[in-house]
Amino acid sequence: MMTEAQKIAPPIPSRRPELTAEIQARTGLDETVIRNLVHCFYGKVQEDPILGPIFAKRIVDWAPHLERMTAFWSSVALMTGRYHGAPVPQHEGLPIQWAHFERWLELFRQTAHDVCDPAGADHVIERAERIARSLNIAVQDARAPEVPTLR
């Protein structure tokens, strides 16, 4: 049944399916590749002596986390819109510095090159680098003392 708003305004067609199809054709990425990337990457993270302990303190049940991260990377890499969440608050308060993000990127780059076609690896790595920079800034800003408001 249509709502009153739907009857008044025609729906705006989404370009998302076309964007996703174009990205898939250009990069070789699809949901199967993304799932494999996420599972392989976080397998390495769990075993990593630097990152593993940080994740182990926050994640007890990995299955829901892997599903959430698969949806996240599907949204980031394929523009699917599957992820609905706020990553920044999840990272605030973690005992991490830029060196941790560098290690995260090192493992991500390795995994992307192992799992994806070259164009797909380049595509997800570029996004991972932006995400790491943004999250690092957000985490560091959250630690900064509040600046008084000038009046």
Side-chain angles (χ1 to χ4, degrees):
M1 179 172 230
M2 287 182 111
T3 67
E4 286 303 312
Q6 289 171 324
K7 290 177 188 175
I8 296 169
I12 299 171
S14 172
R15 287 200 53 224
R16 188 165 276 155
E18 291 84 6
L19 289 173
T20 298
E22 184 276 322
I23 293 167
Q24 289 176 317
R26 182 171 36 83
T27 64
L29 297 172
D30 61 20
E31 291 291 337
T32 301
V33 174
I34 295 293
R35 177 173 300 284
N36 192 25
L37 172 68
V38 167
H39 283 252
C40 290
F41 170 66
Y42 281 104
K44 289 179 183 182
V45 166
Q46 289 177 67
E47 299 295 321
D48 188 74
I50 296 168
L51 299 178
I54 295 168
F55 279 82
K57 287 182 181 178
R58 297 285 295 259
I59 302 170
V60 178
D61 185 358
W62 275 89
H65 182 71
L66 292 173
E67 287 306 308
R68 198 166 32 260
M69 292 300 92
T70 299
F72 174 81
W73 281 102
S74 173
S75 291
V76 168
L78 299 175
M79 302 293 293
T80 61
R82 289 187 46 217
Y83 178 78
H84 303 283
V88 171
Q90 299 299 318
H91 292 83
E92 289 176 351
L94 290 176
I96 54 178
Q97 301 294 326
W98 178 245
H100 294 97
F101 286 104
E102 287 178 325
R103 178 63 181 155
W104 183 89
L105 283 169
E106 181 180 351
L107 293 176
F108 191 89
R109 288 180 188 114
Q110 289 172 0
T111 310
H113 286 296
D114 290 345
V115 171
C116 305
D117 291 341
D122 290 346
H123 184 76
V124 294
I125 289 168
E126 185 270 331
R127 279 144 184 81
E129 290 170 347
R130 270 196 271 148
I131 290 164
R133 284 190 302 271
S134 296
L135 282 176
N136 180 60
I137 290 168
V139 167
Q140 300 314 314
D141 281 353
R143 291 183 187 149
E146 287 195 35
V147 177
T149 305
L150 299 175
R151 295 178 194 220

